């Protein structure tokens, strides 16, 4: 079923087949998505620098140890995802699925760790701009992690469809790219929220 | 009808997507259809409906302002009227209608069968009726619609006197956010399509200016819109979840919102203006029978505008306690933007110079739009100047200025595009007589409506007021008469649209003798445009009078386009490409 439609696309001036559009679309989307984080980062920085009331009373700062472990897990998962991709390129389908599942497990670890951290914090969303920016930034990033996990689950499910990779990686590269994006954003967030505390 | 049924082919009943000529042709406009040409018409039709809604709101406002005291509507209702008028006209009329043109024009202009992501395209469209409905519903919730202006500045916009979770402002933010999601989907789609699906031989400097401006405008969407979305999310949290991002009493900063808002909402003007510059650049060569003057410069100037538009936003905040160095900086960048726009204006005038002008309705709207744009540009440079802006900021001078941009230039361009491309996509010609009546009424009405506003503003009449000092009465009476005339002007336009689509004269493949890939297709074009037989582009666009072919084998494409005025699909072309 894929031969005829792909053929019709190769007629389009040697700009590549239809399969490549996914990746182009994802790159454009991520460039745009990075700006929304940039806006939140800018808002955070402005409020942190200029707000007369930053931390609510009784809040000293954020504990770094647990989030640091989560960060290491999340960032390493990017390398694991890349490794999964290389398995797929070599045609080792089962290795791909196993490593891909490991990536998802690491992502899930991060989300659970984040949830535990949220539950143990002494401040809430309404606790001044400090609390509001913290929950906004981590929450918005968390939504992206969950989206990434859902996309990876979709890719895993599709890997069981026969002939899915006949014409290319069918979205795995795009999802992988999304995952790297989510990780890079987290590194910046970690620096802003946990390292830049004074 | 009789000619339609005569050419009816029973095969179309089996086609998954009804095609022109099929008896249930109209039904596809109410379905989740992934065909860019159907989506384009869906966008345009719904946007025109909201133009009427926004126009009705405007006429109620002008009815209120025809006399100095607030006697027709309550001042707080008036606040809701101008908020919704602005929001409807920008988010439910201009953005969607231009996306409609993008959908109709980009694939045929570059020789692509459809957009890069057809299902995403349909999804982006169907968000439009959703957020349109949300915004309309806000008229009927307790407390009425948002009354904080289309800027929605806090702390005004974060007040919630009735204490209800679902209030007018909440729905307003929701609608704007959904509009943003839809626009980002569209932007990803349009940029990917133009980057990757151009016909063989169509390098960047053979790309029609409309496509250049579409990319330039969509880049602004991609860079600017997320900032507004971020700012709007924080506004929503302040309004509904008790945070204090913008509340000074909670440690927040209301100025932050103004930066977020204008970082997008000033460039947003160029998101709307750039495609209209594209429309002007497409139409002037056709109706002056000359190549576009300085094509490369006009093309590249689009990206000059994109870049500069992202660094001018503080000129909306000259009177918001902005430090003087920042005012000077943004005054300079704002004035700089007159350079790339000036390049375009001079190129259009040079294109017209000693051309053989054909004053069709489309050309009249272009010429009217060009004259109005020059005027709007002059008042724009005036407003960029800090002392002038501080003097006339938030007066009717500003209202007059941006209506000269938004209505007298951009909406004129939209009308021109409709008259120009209507025959291509419906297969019918519009009536020239009704069209010229529409133009005359619109030109007189809009001049009467918006020109006196400059005068009232220079005298000091503030904007966003339901009552005013009697010294401004004359300007306001004139403006109100103009507004009602604009309402009347819609009658011949709508009559023309409906009547010519139903029973207008059949259009040939190229009724305006225009040069461009879309004119090498039959009118209306078949489902997937050129399908597999995409022409190879040999030359740049606008080769009027140069006697050079646009594509290889041009005669064959022209003959084929003329042979089949109402094409029926071959069975091979009907299955849709799956979107991987």
């Amino acid at each position: 079923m894929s031969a005829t439609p792909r053929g019709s696309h190769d007629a389009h001036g040697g700009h590549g087949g239809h399969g490549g559009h996914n990746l182009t679309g994802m790159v454009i989307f991520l460039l745009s998505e990075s700006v929304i984080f940039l806006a939140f980062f800018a808002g955070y920085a402005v409020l942190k620098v200029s707000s007369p009331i930053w931390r609510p009373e009784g809040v000293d700062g954020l504990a770094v140890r647990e989030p640091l472990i989560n960060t290491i897990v999340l960032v390493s998962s990017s390398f694991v995802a890349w490794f999964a991709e290389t398995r797929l390129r070599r045609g080792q389908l089962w290795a791909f699925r196993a490593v891909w599942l490991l990536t998802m497990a690491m992502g899930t670890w991060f989300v659970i760790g984040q949830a535990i951290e949220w539950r143990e914090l002494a401040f809430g969303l309404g606790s001044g701009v400090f609390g509001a920016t913290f929950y906004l930034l981590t929450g918005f990033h968390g939504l992206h992690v969950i989206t990434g996990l859902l996309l990876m689950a979709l890719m895993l499910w599709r890997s069981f469809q026969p002939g899915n990779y006949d014409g290319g990686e069918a979205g795995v590269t795009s999802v992988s790219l999304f995952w790297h994006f989510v990780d890079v954003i987290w590194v910046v967030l970690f620096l802003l929220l946990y390292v830049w505390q004074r | 009808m009789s000619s339609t049924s005569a050419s009816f082919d029973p095969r179309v009943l089996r086609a998954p997507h009804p095609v022109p000529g099929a008896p249930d042709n109209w039904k596809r406009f109410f379905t989740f259809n992934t065909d860019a040409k159907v989506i384009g018409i869906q966008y345009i039709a719904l946007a025109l409906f909201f133009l009427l809604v926004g126009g009705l709101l405007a006429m109620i406002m002008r009815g209120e302002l025809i006399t100095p005291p607030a006697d027709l509507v309550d001042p707080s209702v008036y606040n809701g009227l101008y908020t919704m008028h602005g929001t409807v006209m920008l988010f439910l009329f201009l953005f969607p209608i231009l996306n409609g043109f993008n959908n109709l024009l980009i694939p045929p202009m570059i020789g692509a069968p459809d957009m890069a992501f057809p299902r995403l395209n349909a999804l982006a469209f169907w968000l439009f009726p959703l957020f349109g409905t949300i915004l309309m519903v806000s008229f009927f919730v307790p407390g009425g619609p948002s009354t904080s202006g289309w800027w929605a500045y806090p702390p005004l916009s974060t007040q919630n006197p009735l204490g209800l979770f679902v209030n007018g402002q909440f729905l307003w933010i929701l609608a704007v956010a959904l509009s943003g999601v839809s626009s980002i989907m569209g932007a990803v789609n349009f940029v990917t399509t133009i980057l990757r699906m151009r016909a063989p031989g169509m390098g960047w400097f053979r790309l029609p200016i409309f496509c250049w401006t579409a990319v330039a405008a969509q880049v602004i969407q991609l860079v600017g819109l997320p900032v507004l979305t971020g700012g709007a999310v924080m506004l929503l949290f302040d309004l509904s979840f008790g945070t204090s991002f913008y509340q000074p009493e909670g440690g927040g900063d209301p100025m932050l919102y103004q930066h977020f808002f204008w970082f997008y909402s000033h460039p947003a003007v160029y998101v709307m203006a750039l495609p209209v510059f594209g429309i002007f650049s497409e139409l002037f060569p056709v109706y002056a029978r000359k190549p576009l003057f300085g094509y490369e410069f006009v093309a590249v100037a689009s990206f000059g505008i994109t870049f500069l538009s992202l660094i001018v936003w503080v000129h909306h905040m000259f009177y918001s306690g902005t430090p003087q160095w920042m005012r000077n900086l943004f005054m300079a960048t704002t004035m700089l933007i007159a350079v790339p726009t000036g390049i375009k204006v001079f190129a259009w005038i040079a294109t017209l110079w000693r051309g053989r002008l054909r004053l069709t309705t489309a050309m009249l709207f272009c010429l009217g739009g060009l004259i109005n744009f020059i005027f709007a540009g002059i008042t724009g440079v005036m407003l960029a100047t800090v002392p002038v802006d501080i003097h006339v900021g938030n007066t009717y001078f500003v209202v007059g200025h941006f209506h000269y941009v938004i209505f007298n230039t951009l909406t004129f361009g939209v009308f021109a595009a409709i008259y120009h491309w209507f025959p291509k996509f419906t297969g019918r010609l519009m009536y020239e007589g009704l069209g010229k009546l529409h133009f005359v009424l619109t030109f007189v009405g809009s001049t009467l409506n918006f020109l006196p506003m400059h005068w009232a503003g220079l005298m000091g009449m503030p904007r966003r007021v339901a009552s005013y000092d009697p010294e401004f009465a004359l300007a306001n009476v004139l403006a109100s008469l103009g507004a009602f005339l604009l309402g009347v002007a819609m009658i011949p336009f709508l009559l023309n649209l409906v009547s010519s689509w139903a029973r207008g004269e059949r259009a040939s493949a190229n009724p305006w003798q225009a040069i461009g890939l879309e004119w090498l297709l039959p009118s209306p074009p078949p489902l997937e445009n050129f399908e597999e037989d995409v022409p190879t582009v040999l030359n740049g666009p606008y080769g009027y009078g140069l006697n050079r072919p646009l594509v290889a084998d041009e005669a064959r494409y022209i003959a084929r386009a003329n042979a089949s005025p109402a094409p029926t699909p071959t069975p091979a072309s009907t299955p849709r490409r799956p979107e991987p």
Side-chain angles (χ1 to χ4, degrees):
Chain A
M1 83 171 246
S2 61
T4 326
R6 285 235 165 68
S8 79
H9 266 274
D10 291 338
H12 286 282
H15 288 276
H18 194 110
H21 296 171
N22 267 337
L23 194 58
T24 312
M26 183 57 91
V27 169
I28 294 169
F29 172 74
L30 290 180
L31 287 174
S32 179
E33 197 68 356
S34 61
V35 183
I36 195 168
F37 279 105
L38 213 61
F40 283 142
F41 295 161
Y44 172 81
V46 166
L47 289 173
K48 178 166 164 47
V49 168
S50 68
S51 177
I53 338 160
W54 177 237
R55 288 209 188 100
E57 287 199 23
V59 176
D60 233 13
L62 295 161
V64 180
R65 214 179 74 89
E66 301 292 319
L68 183 63
I69 296 169
N70 284 341
T71 305
I72 292 167
V73 171
L74 188 68
V75 172
S76 335
S77 78
S78 249
F79 293 94
V80 179
W82 168 78
F83 186 67
E85 254 187 284
T86 61
R87 295 305 95 188
L88 184 61
R89 259 187 227 119
R90 297 209 187 143
Q92 300 162 354
L93 204 52
W94 277 106
F96 160 71
R97 286 176 190 140
V99 182
W100 196 247
L101 206 60
L102 178 64
T103 318
M104 290 173 63
M106 292 166 89
T108 313
W109 166 290
F110 177 85
V111 174
I112 293 170
Q114 181 91 68
I116 293 171
E117 190 196 354
W118 273 24
R119 225 181 39 190
E120 288 170 355
L121 285 172
F123 56 91
L125 182 67
S127 311
V129 277
F130 174 74
T133 47
F134 175 82
Y135 283 104
L136 181 75
L137 285 169
T138 54
F140 194 65
H141 177 264
L143 274 181
H144 280 74
V145 179
I146 292 168
T147 308
L149 288 173
L150 291 175
L151 287 173
M152 287 202 280
L154 182 70
M155 290 301 117
L156 190 67
W157 177 68
R158 290 224 305 218
S159 80
F160 287 98
Q161 289 180 332
N164 187 46
Y165 299 115
D166 287 357
E169 287 128 18
V172 170
T173 313
S174 300
V175 171
S176 209
L177 191 69
F178 182 81
W179 193 248
H180 301 322
F181 169 79
V182 167
D183 290 359
V184 170
I185 292 291
W186 177 257
V187 172
V188 181
L189 258 184
F190 184 79
L191 291 174
L192 282 177
L193 292 175
Y194 295 94
V195 178
W196 184 31
Q197 293 220 31
R198 290 296 137 215
Chain B
M1 271 330 276
S2 56
S3 59
T4 314
S5 47
S7 66
F8 172 65
D9 182 330
R11 277 179 307 178
V12 299
L13 283 179
R14 291 200 298 276
H17 293 258
V19 291
D24 60 346
N25 198 8
W26 59 272
K27 282 185 191 160
R28 68 202 159 128
F29 295 111
F30 297 89
T31 60
F32 190 88
N33 196 310
T34 56
D35 177 7
K37 283 186 285 290
V38 172
I39 294 173
I41 290 172
Q42 285 175 322
Y43 265 119
I44 291 171
L46 191 54
L48 286 175
F49 166 75
F50 281 115
L51 171 66
L52 298 183
V53 173
L56 189 68
L57 297 176
M59 282 197 282
I60 301 173
M61 280 153 66
R62 288 316 317 178
E64 162 61 57
L65 291 173
I66 203 163
T67 54
D71 38 18
L72 184 66
V73 293
D74 187 76
S76 66
V77 174
Y78 185 85
N79 291 345
L81 286 175
Y82 67 68
T83 303
M84 296 302 273
H85 166 71
T87 312
V88 166
M89 287 307 201
L90 296 178
F91 293 102
L92 303 185
F93 166 59
L94 267 171
F95 280 123
I97 205 164
L98 293 169
N99 273 349
F101 289 132
N102 283 343
N103 266 295
L104 284 182
L105 296 175
I106 289 172
M109 275 183 165
I110 63 172
D114 203 328
M115 303 296 289
F117 308 112
R119 277 182 302 181
L120 185 71
N121 198 19
L123 189 61
F125 167 74
W126 280 103
L127 284 176
F128 171 30
L130 178 66
F131 62 75
T133 309
I134 290 174
L135 204 64
M136 292 301 108
V137 162
S138 77
F139 276 107
F140 306 102
V141 294
S146 161
T147 55
S148 56
W150 82 281
W151 311 345
Y153 276 6
L156 187 59
S157 57
T158 47
Q159 287 172 356
N160 186 2
L162 295 183
L164 296 168
F165 185 75
V166 175
N167 52 55
Q169 189 67 48
F170 174 85
L171 293 175
W172 184 91
I173 298 175
L174 196 63
V176 169
L178 283 175
S179 151
V181 172
S182 164
S183 293
I184 290 289
M185 288 178 176
V188 169
N189 217 340
F190 298 132
V191 174
T192 309
T193 306
I194 295 178
L195 283 183
R196 298 196 55 100
M197 294 175 73
R198 301 195 305 276
M202 185 174 264
W204 281 96
F205 284 105
R206 287 181 186 167
L207 194 63
I209 295 286
F210 183 81
C211 297
W212 272 91
T213 55
V215 176
Q218 298 304 320
V219 167
I220 297 179
Q221 294 282 48
L222 291 167
V223 178
L225 199 46
V227 176
L228 175 69
T229 310
V233 167
M234 289 156 87
L235 189 67
L236 186 70
F237 272 67
D238 272 11
L239 176 71
S240 305
F241 304 114
T243 57
S244 51
F245 293 114
Y246 305 129
Q247 318 300 323
E249 63 274 21
D253 183 1
M255 289 298 291
L256 192 60
Y257 177 83
Q258 297 195 15
H259 283 286
F260 282 148
F261 181 80
W262 288 116
F263 181 81
Y264 172 65
S265 295
H266 185 79
V269 177
Y270 290 97
V271 176
M272 297 178 276
L274 278 164
V276 172
F277 296 166
I279 290 166
F280 286 165
S281 308
E282 294 293 330
L283 266 57
F284 282 133
V286 178
Y287 296 110
R289 311 311 297 167
K290 280 177 65 195
L292 180 66
F293 185 87
Y295 162 77
E296 289 86 354
F297 293 91
V298 176
V300 174
S302 311
F303 281 90
I305 292 174
T306 297
F307 172 71
L308 286 172
S309 77
L310 293 168
I311 51 168
V312 300
W313 78 95
V314 177
H315 68 224
H316 291 272
M317 299 157 63
F318 281 163
Y319 41 76
S320 304
T322 307
Q324 189 61 38
W325 67 266
M326 221 183 203
R327 286 170 167 176
N328 294 344
L329 186 70
F330 281 90
M331 173 170 78
T333 55
T334 305
M335 287 183 164
L336 265 183
I337 215 163
V339 176
T341 36
I343 287 174
K344 294 201 172 210
V345 169
F346 280 114
W348 296 328
I349 293 172
T351 306
L352 293 171
W353 188 256
R354 305 178 92 172
R356 291 204 349 257
L357 303 194
R358 287 186 296 173
L359 296 179
T360 60
T361 306
M363 180 60 159
L364 288 174
F365 270 109
C366 278
L367 290 171
L370 176 59
I371 292 165
N372 287 334
F373 182 60
I374 293 170
F375 182 78
I378 292 169
T379 55
V381 174
M382 285 170 74
L383 281 168
T385 321
V386 176
V388 176
D389 186 67
I390 287 173
H391 178 63
V392 297
N394 272 333
T395 70
Y396 260 85
F397 189 80
V398 178
V399 179
H401 160 73
F402 72 70
H403 279 91
Y404 254 77
V405 177
I406 302 278
F407 189 86
N408 289 17
T409 307
L410 306 189
T411 310
F412 271 50
V414 164
F415 286 142
I418 290 176
Y419 283 99
H420 183 69
W421 278 292
F422 184 91
K424 175 45 65 189
F425 292 100
T426 63
R428 307 274 186 170
L429 291 167
M430 289 182 84
Y431 303 113
E432 275 296 305
L434 277 176
K436 285 183 173 135
L437 178 65
H438 174 214
F439 169 74
V440 170
L441 290 176
T442 307
F443 193 84
V444 174
S446 60
T447 306
L448 212 53
N449 193 345
F450 303 121
L451 196 59
M453 285 184 177
H454 295 84
W455 168 38
L458 285 176
M459 291 203 302
M461 178 175 168
R463 67 192 286 198
R464 296 179 169 174
V465 287
S467 59
Y468 54 85
D469 191 276
E471 67 168 318
F472 308 123
L474 179 57
N476 277 286
V477 169
L478 291 176
S480 292
L481 291 179
F484 300 139
L485 199 57
L486 282 181
V488 174
M490 289 308 286
I491 297 170
F493 174 60
L494 295 175
L495 199 66
N496 201 349
L497 273 183
V498 175
S499 172
S500 26
W501 200 346
R503 51 177 67 231
E505 194 188 326
R506 288 235 173 245
S508 64
N510 190 357
W512 316 119
Q513 291 85 44
I515 297 174
L517 287 188
E518 80 268 34
W519 302 104
L520 296 175
L521 289 163
S523 304
L527 186 62
E528 296 214 323
N529 298 332
F530 294 100
E531 293 170 10
E532 324 252 320
D533 186 19
V534 182
T536 302
V537 178
L538 299 177
N539 281 300
Y542 320 117
Y544 295 96
L546 299 182
N547 276 325
R548 61 179 198 203
L550 177 68
V551 299
D553 236 357
E554 196 168 61
R556 182 169 65 82
Y557 287 103
I558 292 171
R560 196 181 62 175
N562 285 326
S564 51
T568 48
T570 57
S573 75
T574 45
R576 303 293 304 167
R577 291 179 324 287
E579 192 186 350

